[in-house]
Amino acid sequence: MRSSLVEAPSTADLAFWRALRERALPLRPSQYDLTSRCNLRCEGCLYFSGNDYLGHVDADEGGGVERFFAAEAARGVRYGYFSGAEPSLVQHKLVIAARHLPYGVVFTNGIQRISAEVPYRIHVSVWGGAATDKALRGADVQQKQVRNYRGDPRAVFVMTLNARNIDEIGEVAAMCADNDLALTFNHYSPTARYSRFIQGEGPGDRYHAISSAADNLVLQPVHLARAHDAIARLMDDATCKVVYSHEYNALIHDPAGLYPELLPGSDVAADCAVRLTNALRHYNTDFSASSEKCCTPNVDCRSCRLYAQSYATVLARATRSLRRPQELARAIRMWRVWCALFLNDDGLAAVASAP
């Protein structure tokens, strides 16, 4: 028998919700590729697994960057998702963007430390324990990452889970705990090109080199179940700084995925919060607006578990539920997690971490 009791938000939850609405919302995000240069060659790299990055020259280093982000602010953008290939190689663009957009997150491999002039959240990608990380990325980078970001309040280390590294979740968590680093999780989501390559239907290159049909990165239901259980244990371990939630943990590890339904006659997810619109845009490195479906158009929607995109979708669905009083507490919890991961405002981060 279902309980008729409605879960009420706590006083702290309601204080957080008021602060968020008064100080940050609406965020009005957009997404920016800042350069096609990279200093790693990661297996199955999403950026280099399609052709949409071709034909775009990096934006000039002069006044054009300033004018572009000023125009973005003028059209109402207040949050930037900054990627590359590798955005730490063009940090001057991040400094310029920060003069115009108050909030943002930078997705980086962590080899080069991003200047303190950049106030945004910094998400540092990790691909497993030290040996696996080196094998999949072509270089030993973890010591550099830790040295660059130990003690940096902007930084969150993001472990990309794949079929090869599920048993290394504890190792990565221990490394982060030993160095006072926050940790969260991404999920490798294969591109069409990667899927063809592992089946022997497409040529290899420097980004598609060491995978095969028998040994690849694709997460199967057994991997999802093991990852769910390992992360659940870590969230209950007070020695780890894991930024996650049990609700999101259940949603993202459901074998059915977040996008079981596609738009009629297409391969595009029917209920995805990061599909490009006139407001939510994705810009190529020359600052031309992308005409693709989303910022990672090479990924099959049905297998997409990419964390920034997934959080946006889960958050959008939870926010729609605010119309139902019984869902308010759950929606606020989801916003807390998102803020802890993606918001660079210290005051709101403090509210988001309140008990």
Side-chain angles (χ1 to χ4, degrees):
M1 180 176 178
R2 293 186 61 180
S3 172
S4 60
L5 295 177
V6 174
E7 180 185 5
S10 68
T11 301
D13 283 340
L14 292 174
F16 157 78
W17 186 236
R18 283 195 300 270
L20 182 65
R21 287 182 299 170
E22 291 170 1
R23 298 177 57 188
L25 297 181
L27 287 168
R28 298 192 180 98
S30 277
Q31 306 151 350
Y32 308 93
D33 287 342
L34 298 184
T35 181
S36 287
R37 291 190 288 134
C38 192
N39 44 12
L40 287 177
R41 57 176 191 277
C42 300
E43 179 74 2
C45 173
L46 302 182
Y47 186 84
F48 293 110
S49 275
N51 296 323
D52 45 296
Y53 73 95
L54 297 173
H56 303 290
V57 178
D58 288 8
D60 70 79
E61 315 238 335
V65 179
E66 189 87 49
R67 289 190 296 272
F68 171 76
F69 283 110
E72 284 295 277
R75 76 174 179 90
V77 176
R78 302 180 68 241
Y79 192 97
Y81 292 92
F82 299 97
S83 55
E86 178 46 49
S88 68
L89 301 179
V90 289
Q91 295 189 36
H92 60 286
K93 296 182 183 180
L94 293 169
V95 173
I96 292 171
R99 291 203 284 262
H100 301 282
L101 308 185
Y103 304 111
V105 60
V106 184
F107 304 105
T108 178
N109 59 35
I111 295 178
Q112 292 195 30
R113 187 177 188 277
I114 292 175
S115 166
E117 292 182 85
V118 179
Y120 297 141
R121 270 284 189 259
I122 297 174
H123 285 192
V124 181
S125 62
V126 181
W127 281 52
T132 299
D133 193 88
K134 180 179 179 180
L136 293 177
R137 312 188 85 174
D140 189 352
V141 301
Q142 282 193 4
Q143 289 186 357
K144 292 180 181 179
Q145 294 173 318
V146 171
R147 184 169 62 247
N148 286 338
Y149 289 105
R150 182 192 289 119
D152 190 328
R154 301 172 300 170
V156 178
F157 274 43
V158 183
M159 181 180 179
T160 295
L161 303 175
N162 61 68
R164 291 188 176 189
N165 68 13
I166 301 300
D167 292 334
E168 299 167 12
I169 291 174
E171 178 184 344
V172 174
M175 181 264 291
C176 289
D178 290 345
N179 292 283
D180 195 28
L181 292 164
L183 173 66
T184 195
F185 300 93
N186 185 29
H187 293 72
Y188 183 75
S189 301
T191 63
R193 183 172 179 180
Y194 184 79
S195 296
R196 290 194 300 271
F197 170 68
I198 62 176
Q199 295 302 324
E201 299 172 2
D205 57 28
R206 63 185 306 201
Y207 302 101
H208 305 78
I210 61 174
S211 298
S212 67
D215 184 9
N216 57 69
L217 308 182
V218 179
L219 291 161
Q220 304 296 340
V222 63
H223 304 122
L224 295 171
R226 287 164 51 204
H228 171 275
D229 294 347
I231 294 171
R233 288 192 295 271
L234 286 177
M235 282 190 287
D236 294 331
D237 184 343
T239 66
C240 298
K241 294 176 63 176
V242 175
V243 186
Y244 224 59
S245 80
H246 286 289
E247 289 164 305
Y248 182 81
N249 195 31
L251 290 169
I252 202 65
H253 291 107
D254 184 342
L258 288 177
Y259 312 106
E261 296 183 12
L262 303 178
L263 292 174
S266 80
D267 58 357
V268 178
D271 187 15
C272 173
V274 296
R275 292 217 318 268
L276 301 185
T277 66
N278 187 51
L280 174 60
R281 302 177 186 174
H282 178 82
Y283 289 96
N284 302 306
T285 61
D286 57 5
F287 294 151
S288 62
S290 172
S291 60
E292 301 288 349
K293 65 181 180 181
C294 66
C295 63
T296 48
N298 307 310
V299 172
D300 185 333
C301 291
R302 287 162 294 192
S303 63
C304 182
R305 287 184 169 84
L306 299 173
Y307 77 114
Q309 295 87 329
S310 296
Y311 271 109
T313 292
V314 168
L315 195 61
R317 295 174 185 176
T319 302
R320 288 201 299 263
S321 73
L322 287 174
R323 301 185 185 93
R324 300 191 296 273
Q326 67 271 25
E327 295 290 341
L328 178 59
R330 177 178 179 273
I332 292 175
R333 285 197 301 271
M334 297 305 299
W335 270 105
R336 277 186 176 276
V337 176
W338 188 91
C339 288
L341 280 173
F342 291 97
L343 206 59
N344 51 291
D345 182 280
D346 289 340
L348 274 172
V351 175
S353 63

